[in-house]
């Protein structure tokens, strides 16, 4: 029993924190490099031109998740034109009760919220512009890991072109987590680990553990497929600006 509980704890922490944070690191690193190249070639303001949608989604994601976790919003700006004195492209200033476990844990998810917000936005964008690709992604995500096969469907090139332009704007402006975002996430890391560990123990003691863990694995596969899709777009945009 103890061995099963420890295995389940490792599975929950790995799937709920390990896998998402691997893609968070990769997506943030690649798009930070892309934004830096844009700033070097076109000035700080160039980041708005090439990534304004992503910036808005980035800050809106912080804002929404902060509200979900009961934080008080002091002030926010979804998009602002940077100046020589202040190169901030947007911000959400929030406060919370440091004695409240739920609000403290929320800092982890508030800090990394833009990654999930932008992934979801690109996914919905694909559903509207290239439904064939969207359906292929969903079909792939529903396959067992041992039988995972990605099939590239046929699609309309005009719709795909529009999709890639908008998705690139989201990726460039939205996936770059700032040092402040990572610092904010650290404040809720251990609270989240404790809560997930307790959740894993509770699930392990119920007769529904097989069903619940199966759903967790399926959710993780969906996150991986969507993240790989966004990672591909991010890498392509990074290469384009590397050679411009």
């Amino acid at each position: 029993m103890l061995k099963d509980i420890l295995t389940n704890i490792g599975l929950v922490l790995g799937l709920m924190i390990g896998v998402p944070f691997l893609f968070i690191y990769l997506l943030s690193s690649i798009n930070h490099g892309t934004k830096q190249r844009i700033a070097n070639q076109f000035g700080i303001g160039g980041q708005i031109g090439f990534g304004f949608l992503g910036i808005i989604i980035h800050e809106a994601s912080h804002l929404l998740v902060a509200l979900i976790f009961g934080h008080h919003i002091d002030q926010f700006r979804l998009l602002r034109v940077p100046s020589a004195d202040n190169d901030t492209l947007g911000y959400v200033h929030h406060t919370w009760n440091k004695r409240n476990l739920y609000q403290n844990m929320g800092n982890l998810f508030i800090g990394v919220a833009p990654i999930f917000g932008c992934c979801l936005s690109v996914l919905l964008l694909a559903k509207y512009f290239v439904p064939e690709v969207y359906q292929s992604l969903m079909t792939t995500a529903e396959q067992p890991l041992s039988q995972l096969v990605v099939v590239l469907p046929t699609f309309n090139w005009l719709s795909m072109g529009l999709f890639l332009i908008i998705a690139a704007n989201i990726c460039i402006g939205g996936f770059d987590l700032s040092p402040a975002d990572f610092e904010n996430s650290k404040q809720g890391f251990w609270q989240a680990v404790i809560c997930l560990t307790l959740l894993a123990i509770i699930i392990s003691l119920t007769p529904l553990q097989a069903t619940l863990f199966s759903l967790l694995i399926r959710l993780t596969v969906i996150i991986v497929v969507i993240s790989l899709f966004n990672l591909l777009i991010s890498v392509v945009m990074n290469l384009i600006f590397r050679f411009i």
Side-chain angles (χ1 to χ4, degrees), residues 71 96-105 107 191:
H71 286 216
W96 64 96
N97 182 356
K98 296 187 178 179
R99 292 188 231 175
N100 186 308
L101 176 63
Y102 178 70
Q103 292 188 12
N104 270 292
M105 181 179 68
N107 283 308
Q191 289 92 335

Side-chain angles (χ1 to χ4, degrees), residues 89-238:
L89 301 172
Y91 57 82
V92 176
H93 296 160
H94 56 100
T95 54
W96 64 96
N97 182 356
K98 296 187 178 179
R99 292 188 231 175
N100 186 308
L101 176 63
Y102 178 70
Q103 292 188 12
N104 270 292
M105 181 179 68
N107 283 308
L108 173 67
F109 301 100
I110 294 166
V112 301
I115 300 295
F116 296 99
C118 289
C119 278
L120 180 60
S121 297
V122 173
L123 184 66
L124 293 176
L125 193 69
K127 183 178 181 179
Y128 179 77
F129 280 97
V130 280
E132 302 87 358
V133 174
Y134 169 83
Q135 191 56 51
S136 177
L137 285 173
M138 291 299 97
T139 301
T140 300
E142 291 174 359
Q143 296 174 8
L145 285 174
S146 59
Q147 302 174 15
L148 199 61
V149 177
V150 179
V151 179
L152 186 64
T154 57
F155 50 80
N156 181 286
W157 281 101
L158 177 59
S159 296
M160 175 60 80
L162 291 171
F163 164 73
L164 290 175
I165 290 172
I166 301 173
N169 193 288
I170 293 173
C171 287
I172 291 171
F175 281 125
D176 177 22
L177 296 184
S178 67
D181 291 336
F182 282 113
E183 195 60 39
N184 192 55
S185 295
K186 288 180 184 178
Q187 299 183 62
F189 179 78
W190 289 113
Q191 289 92 335
V193 168
I194 291 170
C195 287
L196 288 174
T197 298
L198 292 174
L199 179 63
I201 293 173
I202 293 171
I203 292 175
S204 300
L205 298 176
T206 69
L208 297 174
Q209 66 168 309
T211 301
L212 292 174
F213 279 112
S214 176
L215 289 173
L216 177 59
I217 291 172
R218 177 166 291 188
L219 175 63
T220 303
V221 171
I222 292 174
I223 291 173
V224 169
V225 170
I226 296 171
S227 297
L228 285 173
F229 186 56
N230 285 283
L231 195 60
L232 176 61
I233 295 173
S234 299
V235 169
V236 170
M237 295 312 301
N238 185 273

Side-chain angles (χ1 to χ4, degrees), residues 1-9 201 204-205:
M1 172 66 77
L2 179 59
K3 183 180 178 181
D4 290 339
I5 291 176
L6 292 175
T7 299
N8 289 340
I9 290 173
I201 293 173
S204 300
L205 298 176

Side-chain angles (χ1 to χ4, degrees), residues 43-48 77 79-91:
I44 296 176
Q47 296 177 65
I48 291 182
R77 190 92 171 265
L79 184 67
R80 70 176 296 276
V81 178
S83 62
D85 300 328
N86 187 350
D87 61 358
T88 302
L89 301 172
Y91 57 82

